[in-house]
Amino acid sequence: MLSIAERHKYILESLNKNGFVKVVDIAKDLDVTAVTIRKDLKFLEEKKLLFRTHGSASPGNPLASDIDVHVKEKMKKEEKERIAIAACKLIEENDSIIIASGSTVYTFAEQIKPKKHLNVVTASLKVSMLLNNIDNIDIIQLGGVVRKSSFSVVGESTIKFFEDITCSKLFLGVDGIDIEYGITNSNIEEAHLNKKMIDASLRTIILADSSKFGKRGFGKICNLDQIDVIITDSGISDLIAKSIEEIGIELIIV
């Protein structure tokens, strides 16, 4: 049987490799009880070496903060460009799509070169201004209350619009992807809007760099089983990638 120090070493190495650990998995690997592992996680959290959640742990604070979109644009730029290029390959001729808000979906919009005609419904004012200069794209800019931090619109009038349309795809940026908890946004109003966007779309495609995995925003959007495709970068751990594919989600790693 491993010593306490050896268990702690194993837990921290697993966290570093996989991005998260589950109590039941570690207990099985080390042939100890779940109670023992919970005590280990509590001790390591007190030493500020990890963060505990229900039945699992992450190496960093899992709570995502509401960061200004202009700050986000400077983060993970190369990864976002690769994600954007891959996402553009999913747009078809004469397509009708929804583009949500956020720095990753804006990078996606920068890469769009429409095949024939394209309808775009978006909450993002920046995306509308960008795509307005491109031929063959018709833009439906949603109305509502402007959120300065994301430069997008939210509110009841924004949500009601989706009761009367259907689009083939939603391209959605998120603040958190948690295997157990689901997809989240740091703003509750945007999370509510994203839910309606999902309802109005035949396919939901998440654009998220690997830093978003293991994070939770304030507002829950949906469970992972409501997502069709996730496009991310190669920083995603093998364990998280396997967990996503086991749910039945198409995972595109760039």
Side-chain angles (χ1 to χ4, degrees):
M1 182 177 290
L2 295 180
S3 67
I4 293 174
E6 287 171 328
R7 289 202 309 270
H8 292 176
K9 183 174 183 290
Y10 182 86
I11 290 169
L12 294 174
E13 287 178 347
S14 298
L15 272 175
N16 184 56
K17 178 183 178 181
N18 300 314
F20 79 106
V21 294
K22 292 183 178 179
V23 170
V24 291
D25 291 340
I26 295 295
K28 182 179 179 180
D29 292 345
L30 301 183
D31 194 24
V32 296
T33 66
V35 172
T36 296
I37 297 304
R38 289 192 186 96
K39 289 179 180 178
D40 289 338
L41 295 181
K42 183 175 186 295
F43 174 84
L44 293 171
E45 185 178 50
E46 289 171 351
K47 297 294 183 181
K48 301 189 184 303
L49 296 174
L50 54 75
F51 283 81
R52 288 185 299 160
T53 55
H54 294 295
S56 62
S58 60
N61 190 338
L63 297 179
S65 57
D66 190 6
I67 302 173
D68 189 282
V69 69
H70 297 99
V71 175
K72 287 183 178 180
E73 286 173 354
K74 300 174 183 178
M75 302 164 64
K76 302 278 186 178
K77 292 184 69 172
E78 292 183 6
E79 290 88 344
K80 289 174 182 175
E81 285 184 7
R82 296 200 302 271
I83 291 167
I85 291 169
C88 285
K89 295 177 181 178
L90 302 180
I91 299 176
E92 301 171 285
E93 290 185 0
N94 301 313
D95 218 344
S96 294
I97 65 174
I98 302 170
I99 301 178
S101 62
S103 60
T104 308
V105 292
Y106 181 77
T107 304
F108 159 65
E110 289 181 312
Q111 299 291 333
I112 291 177
K113 297 176 179 61
K115 300 172 183 178
K116 296 187 178 179
H117 182 260
L118 177 65
N119 288 321
V120 173
V121 179
T122 185
S124 170
L125 300 174
K126 290 190 67 177
V127 167
S128 286
M129 290 190 294
L130 172 70
L131 296 182
N132 188 54
N133 297 318
I134 300 177
D135 293 336
N136 301 324
I137 297 182
D138 284 342
I139 302 162
I140 298 91
Q141 169 63 58
L142 299 172
V145 179
V146 177
R147 288 193 67 232
K148 292 184 179 180
S149 63
S150 64
F151 209 53
S152 62
V153 295
V154 294
E156 286 300 317
S157 59
T158 317
I159 287 173
K160 286 180 179 179
F161 179 84
F162 290 102
E163 296 175 359
D164 300 316
I165 69 162
T166 299
C167 288
S168 69
K169 305 170 190 75
L170 162 64
F171 293 90
L172 179 64
V174 299
D175 290 324
I177 303 174
D178 185 283
I179 299 298
E180 296 177 343
Y181 188 69
I183 305 297
T184 54
N185 193 300
S186 56
N187 179 267
I188 189 67
E189 287 187 293
E190 285 204 8
H192 288 162
L193 175 59
N194 294 157
K195 287 179 183 180
K196 291 298 182 181
M197 290 177 170
I198 290 172
D199 292 342
S201 305
L202 300 180
R203 298 181 78 201
T204 298
I205 301 161
I206 300 292
L207 312 184
D209 68 74
S210 56
S211 69
K212 303 297 176 64
F213 292 93
K215 296 287 187 179
R216 294 187 185 187
F218 179 67
K220 182 173 180 177
I221 300 170
C222 66
N223 294 326
L224 269 170
D225 59 9
Q226 290 184 256
I227 304 304
D228 299 289
V229 182
I230 294 177
I231 307 178
T232 190
D233 62 80
S234 57
I236 185 175
S237 74
D238 293 340
L239 180 59
I240 292 177
K242 181 181 178 182
S243 298
I244 288 170
E245 290 175 332
E246 287 176 346
I247 295 171
I249 299 170
E250 180 184 353
L251 181 64
I252 301 172
I253 300 175
V254 296

